[in-house]
Amino acid sequence: MDLLTTQVLDLIYRHAGRTYPSECCGFVLADGSVHEGTNIQDEIHAVNPATYRRTAANGYTFSVLDTVFLNNSFRTQNPVIVIYHSHPDVGAYFSHEDVDKALYDGEPIYPVDYLVVDAMAGAARGAKLFRWRRGQFVCTGDFDRDPCMN
Ligand SMILES: [Zn+2]
C-alpha cells in the first residue's frame, strides 16, 4: 500500500512507543493523515474484568469518540482506510482476538486494512498489514524495522 509511507509509519511507530507497554490504536485516513485513537481497554477491564479479561497490555478498544469518528468517516471524502494497533513484546501477527474484533457474523465490519505494529521492548519500528481476502485475513505488507530502508 503506497499510502503507508515512511513518514506515516513513523507517526504510528512513535504512537506505539509512547503507549508502550500498553497497546496503541488509531486510524490512517485516505489522505494519509494519522488519527491517534484512545485505547480504553484498561478502563473497561477495571469496570468489568469478567467480561473484558484483557488489559491494555494485550488488548485494545477504541473510545466511543473514536468509534463515532470511524463510522462517520465512511460518509466523507476522506474515509479511514487502515485501522492500526500495536503488539507490545509479542510480534506483529493477526491474532485470534484481532480476527474476532474485525468481523461480525463472519464478514468484515469495516472496509479497511489492519496494520499491526511490532512494539518490541518499546521500540516500534516494524509492522505488518493484513487484508481480508476470500474468507480470511492475509498479510499483504511487511514493513522493515528500519524506516530508512523503506
Ligand atoms: Zn492485536
Side-chain angles (χ1 to χ4, degrees), residues 26-45:
F27 312 125
V28 182
L29 283 69
D31 69 355
S33 59
V34 174
H35 174 104
E36 292 190 359
T38 301
N39 183 0
I40 62 164
Q41 190 69 34
D42 278 342
E43 284 88 334
I44 63 176
H45 171 80

Side-chain angles (χ1 to χ4, degrees), residues 69-134:
F69 177 92
L70 172 65
N71 282 297
N72 286 344
S73 82
F74 298 117
R75 294 192 289 272
T76 71
Q77 297 298 311
N78 190 28
V80 170
I81 61 167
V82 172
I83 295 177
Y84 70 84
H85 73 285
S86 62
H87 277 184
D89 299 326
V90 294
Y93 68 100
F94 212 60
S95 73
H96 188 69
E97 322 294 324
D98 293 333
V99 173
D100 274 354
K101 196 181 280 284
L103 300 180
Y104 180 78
D105 210 13
E107 292 295 326
I109 300 170
Y110 301 112
V112 300
D113 288 345
Y114 287 84
L115 186 76
V116 181
V117 177
D118 177 7
M120 194 61 69
R125 290 183 295 121
K128 285 182 179 158
L129 190 70
F130 297 89
R131 175 173 290 178
W132 182 255
R133 266 194 197 148
R134 291 188 285 276

Side-chain angles (χ1 to χ4, degrees), residues 9 15-16 19 22 24 29 32 51 54 56 70 90 111 116 118 145:
L9 288 169
H15 188 199
T19 63
S22 295
C24 74
L29 283 69
T51 300
R54 286 167 180 260
L70 172 65
V90 294
V116 181
D118 177 7
R145 287 189 151 274

